Amino acid sequence: MAKHDLDPNYLDPNYEPVVNHTENTPFHQVLSARMQRRTVMKGSVGAALASVMGLGLAGCGSDSNDSTTSSNVSSTDIGFRAVPTSTANEVVVPEGYSSEAFLPWGTPITGSYPAYKPDGTNTGAEQEQQMGMHHDGVHFFPIDLKAGGNSSSEGLLVMNHEYINQGALHANGATYVNDMRPADEVRKEIAAHGVSVVHIKRDTNGKWDIVFGSPFNRRITGNTEMDIRGPVRGYSKLITKYSPDATETRGTLNNCAMGPTPWGTYLAAEENWHGYFANGDATQPREQTRHGVGSSSRYDWELADSAADQYVRFNVSTIGATAADDYRNEANTYGYMVEIDPFTPESKPQKRTALGRFGHEGVIFAPAKEGEPVVCYSGDDSRFEYIYKFVSSKPYYAATAGGYLLDEGTLYVARFNDDGSGDWLSLDLDDADFAAKVAAAEGTQVGDVQFDGFENQADVLLNTRLAADIAGATPMDRPEWGAVDPNSGQVYFTLTNNSRRTEEQVNAANPNANNRTGHIIRWSEEGNDHTATSFDWDIFVFAGEQGTETVVDDEVIVSLTDDNIFNSPDGLWFDYNGRLWIQTDGSDAAPYQNNMMLAANPETREIKRFFVGPVGCEVTGVVSTPDVKTMFVNIQHPDGNWPDSSDPRPRDATVIVTKDDGGVIGA
C-alpha cells in the first residue's frame, strides 16, 4: 500500500483508537447505581468526589526482600519551595538543586561507539550501537546488586525508548521511492526503538559518565531475538515463518513504562504496538480488531525496499498457504511484558505471556515476601480499558527467584464498585465464575466481536481485553503507571484522561465526563494481603487548574493552588523513603504550561511542583540511586534544540538532578 493510504491518526504517535465497544460498561451489568458526587467546576474541570466511602485505607506493612531499595525512612515530608509553571526551553528545578542533561538520543554506548551526527546521517547499524529515541521508563540497578549491595555511585541505568521522531532521526525525514521506503531508514527506525542498558559511574567530583567498554552496555531493539514464555508459548495463533513452533519472535516496540523485578531484572512494557502492523485483508481476527490494528501502519516499515523478513513481518496480511509461510500472526507476538536481565548481556529477552496481552503501560510489584506468591499490577493505557493483577502460582524465595515465577499464575482484572469496594475478577478458565461468564457469552456480540469462545487458557491470555470485557471489569480513564507505597502497601494508579467519556458513561472510579485532566486512584487490598481478591479504594487527587478540589465525605481533602496545578498524570513512582513522584503528559497550554513532575506526601496529600521540563516535552520515567541523592528523570519528544542549543535537532535525554548540599532529593 502507498503512503497516501496511511490513516492520518497514526501520524500522532500517542493515538489510541477506542477499541472497547462493549458499550463502555462491563459486559455483565455489575454496577447498578451511580455514586453520589459533588462537582466543583473551574472552567471545564469537573473536580470533586463525594460520599464515596466512610472509611480510611488501612496501611499495609512492607516486608520487601528487594535489595535495590534502602531502608525506609519514616518522614515523607516535602522540604523544598515549589517551582512555578514555566514556558522556558529548559529544565526548572527548585532553589538549592542542580540539573544536567545526560545520555541524549544518539549517544554511543556499545560496539564501536559510533559518534552521533547532528545532520541525521547516522546509519541503521550505527543507531543499533547508540542510545535510542524517546526515553521513557527507567530504573537504576546498583552494580553490586547481585552481591546484596546497594551502591549509589555505580550501576546499570536501563531505560525504554517508546517511539521516534522521523523528522529528526533522518537527514531529510522519512523518504519514499516509488512508494517504498529505503531499507536502511527502516533499520534505523527499528533500532531507535527498544531498550538501552548503560553502565554508569560517578567520579570523585560527583560527575556521572558511561563506563566505556563495559560488557554490560547493550542495546535491545525492535529486531532483537526473543523467547516467548508462559502459557501462550507454542500456541498455534503465534506460528510465524520465523518461528513455526511459536516459541520465538523478534523485537520489542513502543516500550513505555517498566518494572524492576524483586530478583533484579527489568520488565519493559509493550504499549501501542498495534500501530506498527498493517493488515490488508478484508476481515481481521479478533486478536487484531480489539487492539486497533489497521490497514496501514504508523511508519510504513512493511514498505521497506527489501525482501528481508525483518521488514516483511510488519505486513500481517494473509499471504502464504499457512501461518508458517507468512507473518499473519506476527502481531500476536507483541503486547506483553518483556523481561531483560541487565547483568547477563548474552541473555535472550523473554516475553512473559502469563501477565496478559494488551497495551501494557508498565508493571509494578508488590513487596516480595519469602515463601509467598509474587504479585504485580499493570494498566492498559487506552480509553475505557482496565487494570490487571497477576498472582504467581509458585512462592517467592530470594535465593532462587527468577522469571519462572511469572510463567504460572492467575491473571485478574479490577472491578471498582460504587460503594468504594472492589473485586479482582479471575481470567482463568479453571475458575467456575469466569468459565460460566464465558459460556454465557458464547454466540453473542461482545462489543465489535462476535464471540465464539476461547480454545484454551492461551487463547484467553492472547485476548486479554476480550476476556476482561466478559468478566465484567470497570472501564477506566486510561490507566497508566502504577506505584506501591513502600510504607503502607497501598497501590496507586494514574488515570491520565479520557475526553470521550460521556455523562452516561461515568462511574464511581471515573466520575468526570469529558475528563481532560485525569486523576489518581488508590486502593488497599483486603487484610493487607496483595493476593486478596477484594480491596477498598478512593481517589487520591483530581488533577486540574487552581481551585480543583478532591472531596471525601463532604470534606475538601485537596484544593489545588498555583504550587501544584497539573493535568494528565502519567508517570508515577515512590522513592525509597515513601515520597510519591507524579509526572505529566498533557496540555502545555495555560495555565499548566510545560509538562512537569510533582512530589506528594501520601499521608497528608500535600503536593508541590518540583520539576518542569523544556518546551513540547513529556516528563516521563524517574528513579533515584538507593540513597535518594541522585535522581534520573527522562525527557521525551522535546521541541526546538534542547538540550544543546547548537544542535539543530531536538534530542530526548535523561536529566540528572542533585541537591547542591548533597542531601536527599525532596527532603
Side-chain angles (χ1 to χ4, degrees):
M1 67 197 69
K3 178 66 178 178
H4 61 263
D5 294 325
L6 179 66
D7 182 341
N9 284 308
Y10 282 121
L11 297 177
D12 175 4
N14 290 316
Y15 171 60
E16 299 139 2
V18 174
V19 288
N20 184 356
H21 297 291
T22 54
E23 297 181 349
N24 295 325
T25 58
F27 180 76
H28 290 82
Q29 296 295 328
V30 296
L31 300 179
S32 59
R34 182 179 302 180
M35 60 168 274
Q36 298 176 358
R37 62 191 178 95
R38 186 180 81 215
T39 302
V40 177
M41 298 301 296
K42 288 291 182 180
S44 62
V45 180
L49 176 68
S51 305
V52 177
M53 55 186 174
L55 54 92
L57 291 176
C60 306
S62 174
D63 185 26
S64 175
N65 289 294
D66 184 353
S67 59
T68 67
T69 65
S70 61
S71 299
N72 288 336
V73 175
S74 59
S75 174
T76 54
D77 290 345
I78 300 172
F80 58 87
R81 185 186 299 273
V83 300
T85 58
S86 171
T87 59
N89 195 31
E90 62 184 14
V91 168
V92 179
V93 292
E95 181 181 355
Y97 287 82
S98 297
S99 67
E100 64 173 318
F102 186 53
L103 298 176
W105 155 60
T107 300
I109 62 168
T110 190
S112 61
Y113 293 89
Y116 163 76
K117 297 177 181 178
D119 62 0
T121 58
N122 282 114
T123 66
E126 289 171 338
Q127 177 62 77
E128 289 166 351
Q129 304 168 72
Q130 299 169 328
M131 293 294 296
M133 218 174 206
H134 285 16
H135 300 20
D136 210 301
V138 60
H139 191 71
F140 177 85
F141 293 88
I143 196 65
D144 53 0
L145 174 63
K146 295 297 186 179
N150 60 352
S151 173
S152 290
S153 60
E154 184 178 0
L156 305 182
L157 196 66
V158 188
M159 72 180 71
N160 291 343
H161 302 289
E162 187 178 8
Y163 60 102
I164 59 172
N165 174 349
Q166 289 176 302
L169 188 65
H170 305 298
N172 300 298
T175 62
Y176 293 79
V177 178
N178 298 323
D179 289 333
M180 302 294 286
R181 297 215 44 216
D184 196 63
E185 281 190 9
V186 175
R187 179 180 179 179
K188 186 177 182 181
E189 292 175 13
I190 293 172
H193 285 72
V195 177
S196 291
V197 181
V198 192
H199 186 175
I200 62 174
K201 186 175 183 178
R202 189 178 61 202
D203 65 21
T204 56
N205 295 319
K207 180 76 171 179
W208 288 91
D209 202 354
I210 302 169
V211 178
F212 293 95
S214 169
F216 296 122
N217 292 336
R218 181 184 183 191
R219 280 300 323 279
I220 294 96
T221 75
N223 204 40
T224 300
E225 294 182 353
M226 303 191 174
D227 280 336
I228 297 168
R229 296 291 180 180
V232 185
R233 178 180 171 88
Y235 183 37
S236 60
K237 291 185 179 180
L238 273 70
I239 289 174
T240 65
K241 184 179 178 181
Y242 176 75
S243 182
D245 62 357
T247 61
E248 295 178 289
T249 189
R250 282 170 291 189
T252 185
L253 295 169
N254 210 259
N255 305 105
C256 195
M258 50 79 233
T261 69
W263 46 92
T265 60
Y266 180 92
L267 287 172
E270 298 181 326
E271 189 194 355
N272 290 317
W273 49 268
H274 63 273
Y276 293 81
F277 300 97
N279 187 339
D281 294 346
T283 60
Q284 296 179 5
R286 66 191 186 187
E287 291 81 18
Q288 295 180 17
T289 58
R290 187 59 181 83
H291 287 273
V293 173
S295 59
S296 57
S297 67
R298 179 175 299 166
Y299 301 123
D300 286 340
W301 291 348
E302 74 280 7
L303 301 183
D305 59 359
S306 168
D309 281 355
Q310 64 179 359
Y311 310 118
V312 172
R313 65 191 175 101
F314 294 102
N315 181 352
V316 293
S317 307
T318 301
I319 297 173
T322 70
D325 299 312
D326 59 24
Y327 288 95
R328 68 187 70 173
N329 290 331
E330 181 75 3
N332 292 346
T333 70
Y334 284 80
Y336 305 103
M337 296 301 307
V338 182
E339 185 171 16
I340 296 165
D341 184 351
F343 291 98
T344 309
E346 68 277 9
S347 63
K348 200 172 180 180
Q350 313 283 308
K351 298 207 174 186
R352 299 294 179 191
T353 64
L355 275 61
R357 174 177 173 266
F358 47 88
H360 282 275
E361 175 73 16
V363 69
I364 183 69
F365 283 81
K369 299 181 179 180
E370 197 76 3
E372 298 185 17
V374 167
V375 179
C376 59
Y377 303 87
S378 189
D380 186 347
D381 180 13
S382 196
R383 300 175 183 92
F384 304 109
E385 295 298 345
Y386 309 118
I387 295 175
Y388 298 86
K389 176 170 80 170
F390 173 81
V391 180
S392 69
S393 297
K394 296 179 180 179
Y396 169 87
Y397 295 104
T400 59
Y404 69 89
L405 290 168
L406 303 179
D407 285 341
E408 298 178 20
T410 302
L411 186 66
Y412 298 89
V413 66
R415 181 176 67 200
F416 292 83
N417 301 319
D418 284 3
D419 63 358
S421 67
D423 301 290
W424 290 108
L425 310 174
S426 170
L427 301 181
D428 190 333
L429 287 173
D430 288 336
D431 179 88
D433 288 342
F434 179 64
K437 292 175 182 177
V438 170
E442 288 191 26
T444 70
Q445 190 80 14
V446 181
D448 288 345
V449 175
Q450 181 65 31
F451 182 61
D452 57 359
F454 293 118
E455 290 183 347
N456 48 38
Q457 187 60 24
D459 200 16
V460 170
L461 294 169
L462 186 64
N463 292 279
T464 303
R465 284 181 170 177
L466 180 59
D469 294 339
I470 292 168
T474 302
M476 308 297 284
D477 286 347
R478 288 188 59 200
E480 297 216 36
W481 294 51
V484 177
D485 188 331
N487 294 324
S488 73
Q490 294 173 1
V491 186
Y492 291 64
F493 259 79
T494 53
L495 301 174
T496 296
N497 53 47
N498 185 356
S499 60
R500 299 187 187 180
R501 188 179 291 275
T502 67
E503 287 286 355
E504 292 71 31
Q505 295 169 335
V506 300
N507 55 53
N510 307 270
N512 288 332
N514 189 29
N515 182 9
R516 294 183 178 276
T517 53
H519 53 289
I520 299 174
I521 199 166
R522 67 175 180 179
W523 63 87
S524 281
E525 301 281 12
E526 182 181 17
N528 303 334
D529 179 4
H530 285 93
T531 68
T533 55
S534 61
F535 56 91
D536 293 317
W537 65 268
D538 76 351
I539 290 179
F540 178 68
V541 67
F542 284 100
E545 61 187 83
Q546 184 172 358
T548 297
E549 294 178 346
T550 303
V551 180
V552 177
D553 292 336
D554 291 323
E555 178 183 357
V556 177
I557 304 299
V558 181
S559 181
L560 298 184
T561 71
D562 285 342
D563 284 346
N564 55 20
I565 58 170
F566 69 103
N567 79 96
S568 302
D570 188 339
L572 200 64
W573 178 67
F574 274 102
D575 68 29
Y576 303 130
N577 295 329
R579 291 180 189 84
L580 179 63
W581 298 87
I582 303 165
Q583 300 177 307
T584 70
D585 179 22
S587 170
D588 55 5
Y592 309 106
Q593 310 302 354
N594 295 358
N595 278 289
M596 63 189 69
M597 182 172 70
L598 309 97
N601 183 328
E603 299 171 3
T604 66
R605 302 199 211 204
E606 178 187 19
I607 302 172
K608 289 184 181 181
R609 188 179 304 105
F610 176 82
F611 179 110
V612 182
V615 172
C617 81
E618 171 188 352
V619 180
T620 179
V622 56
V623 72
S624 76
T625 51
D627 62 9
V628 199
K629 293 182 178 181
T630 299
M631 177 176 277
F632 303 96
V633 182
N634 275 341
I635 296 297
Q636 185 182 107
H637 60 73
D639 286 342
N641 51 1
W642 187 89
D644 183 353
S645 60
S646 66
D647 191 331
R649 296 168 191 273
R651 298 174 70 185
D652 314 271
T654 301
V655 174
I656 296 175
V657 180
T658 54
K659 201 171 184 181
D660 295 344
D661 64 5
V664 170
I665 305 290

